Amino acid sequence: MDTLLNAVTHVSEAALTAIAHMPTASLPVMMEDAFARRLSDADLMRIAVLLAQKSLDEGGCPIGAVIVDNATRRIVGKGHNTLVQENHPYNHGETSAIRDAGRIDFGQTTLFTSLSPCEICATLLHMRGFSRVVVGDVTNASGTEALLQSKGVQVEILEDPRGIALYAGFRAGNPELDLEDWKGRGATRQP
């Protein structure tokens, strides 16, 4: 059986959307390593943004993340924020992708996140030994990049205009949910 995404397949929005929505464990059925090696950092960030859109479509906070093996460029984990959907305060995009990747050596991976990580996620990224983190939006949120760098994590900013607009629209329309995601339910109480 031929795979859908192979060495000659065009890297298109439709292909990236299919990757975002396919379970990670099933990606080898659809995508050859030759295709994965052709995915640019911008393509991987777009997958993270498509995962953020998936969260928003489900009624959640639009944050997505993708983890790739540095040597092969294979996607080893991906996820999106499910604070609302799973009623869980720390199911952020980054933690969801880490959970999806499982028990691997994260020192040989790069995490692409659609939004600057919160302090908890940044700490987890350092604790798990990620070698590189690529951030897609420091316009709507930032601050942990310096923390990651101080811990020896290579941080790159690769802002995705679609992701920036997505989160800005969410924040404008859902300020309490945005605040809850960053600071917890108690932060949404009026004094």
Side-chain angles (χ1 to χ4, degrees):
M1 180 172 110
D2 292 330
T3 54
L4 180 63
L5 304 175
N6 56 44
V8 296
T9 307
H10 176 68
V11 178
S12 66
E13 186 80 8
L16 299 178
T17 300
I19 293 167
H21 290 275
M22 173 76 83
T24 304
S26 300
L27 284 176
V29 173
M30 180 179 75
M31 179 171 56
E32 289 180 2
D33 287 350
F35 185 86
R37 283 190 296 274
R38 291 178 36 234
L39 293 174
S40 68
D41 283 358
D43 294 330
L44 292 162
M45 184 57 69
R46 180 50 54 95
I47 294 168
V49 169
L50 290 164
L51 287 161
Q53 180 67 57
K54 180 179 180 184
S55 182
L56 185 65
D57 293 346
E58 294 171 353
C61 305
I63 305 163
V66 176
I67 302 170
V68 298
D69 179 280
N70 291 338
T72 64
R73 299 288 281 185
R74 279 189 209 123
I75 295 172
V76 296
K78 55 190 175 69
H80 60 284
N81 185 301
T82 57
L83 168 88
V84 173
Q85 303 91 309
E86 295 181 13
N87 193 32
H88 193 291
Y90 290 112
N91 280 349
H92 289 179
E94 300 89 348
T95 58
S96 179
I98 291 169
R99 188 177 63 240
D100 186 47
R103 296 172 61 203
I104 65 170
D105 177 1
F106 291 105
Q108 306 303 314
T109 65
T110 297
L111 180 128
F112 292 80
T113 180
S114 65
L115 185 69
S116 179
C118 71
E119 288 182 33
I120 291 168
C121 289
T123 300
L124 182 61
L125 294 172
H126 157 66
M127 287 175 58
R128 289 294 172 231
F130 280 86
S131 61
R132 179 174 173 239
V133 173
V134 181
V135 180
D137 180 356
V138 294
T139 299
N140 289 299
S142 65
T144 59
E145 293 76 24
L147 169 67
L148 287 165
Q149 289 170 329
S150 75
K151 301 293 187 178
V153 179
Q154 179 185 346
V155 177
E156 296 175 28
I157 309 302
L158 179 63
E159 288 200 303
D160 182 292
R162 184 168 158 191
I164 293 168
L166 181 69
Y167 200 84
F170 165 76
R171 178 174 276 164
N174 302 279
E176 284 194 12
L177 185 54
D178 173 58
L179 184 61
E180 178 187 349
D181 188 51
W182 282 91
K183 297 191 179 235
R185 194 94 192 222
T188 64
R189 283 190 241 124
Q190 297 295 325

